Amino acid sequence: MQISLARQVALVTGASSGIGHGAARALAAAGAAVVINYNRQAEPAEALARRIVADGGQAIAIGADVSNEEDVERLFQQTLDAFGTLDILVANSGLQKDAAAVDLSLADWNEVIGVNLTGQFLCARAALRIFNRQGVREGVSRAAGKIIHMSSVHQRIPWAGHVNYAASKGGVDQLMQTLAQEVSQQRIRVNGIAPGAIRTAINKDTTEGDAGQALLKLIPYGRIGDVEDVANAVVFLASDASDYIVGTTLFIDGGMSLYPEFRGNG
Ligand code: BGC
């Protein structure tokens, strides 16, 4: 199976670090022109764009807050201005604001739902409007467009102390499936990815040392994931190699969602 995304344009939200950063790199390596969206961290997003261009690819960085409707409209307009089209959306932006439910402020509830769920809706809506206008681009892809929603194992696994995050990802699951049901007749493919514990710069505290050892007990496959584990799946779901995959979530979690605590118990 050879994957090429040549002549396709991909927009990755939240791509200044972590999984989004890795996904943008992998999509560019597969030949797509890439829009690297960031909210606050312009420098790493611009550095990634420069690196992709230096390697012979096409990329630009665009700042936008995905929870803000005007920002999202501008982000997609600037994408069209830069590259003329859009074929792939990776709705990846997400954040955590952790607290026990009794202590969780409404502001932190709203912020997490705003970015993780409403942000994915706003970006998907903007992408769908473009895909509907352009239809299938013959010789480029069998689909009129592909949307990949970045979810989490916590769309399925309840997570004490993270009720805003778990609720947002449960919402992403239904957002993804409902959109898939609604738009697949227009040859638009909508799917999700549910990563488990992935080693990134911002979760060092939970993936290293004693916390990392404790985390490993929850991962039957016995290792913490790397950004590339998820990025490879993004490229696959964005490509025609997955053309018959519609409305599915790919769990990339080393088996975390298999409830390993139940081995020998229950
Ligand atoms: C969270 C990580 C966590 C993982 C497994 C992810 O969605 O972002 O912080 O380690 O789920 O619990």
Side-chain angles (χ1 to χ4, degrees), residues 131-179:
F131 297 159
N132 276 332
R133 269 204 311 274
Q134 82 189 3
V136 175
R137 301 203 297 132
E138 295 299 333
V140 174
S141 172
R142 296 178 74 178
K146 283 87 56 164
I147 298 178
I148 298 159
H149 289 283
M150 199 58 67
S151 184
S152 161
V153 286
H154 297 296
Q155 76 171 39
R156 178 184 294 170
I157 305 175
W159 202 14
H162 308 75
V163 68
N164 47 1
Y165 184 81
S168 73
K169 296 303 187 179
V172 164
D173 182 32
Q174 276 300 327
L175 171 69
M176 182 281 290
Q177 291 191 66
T178 301
L179 290 180

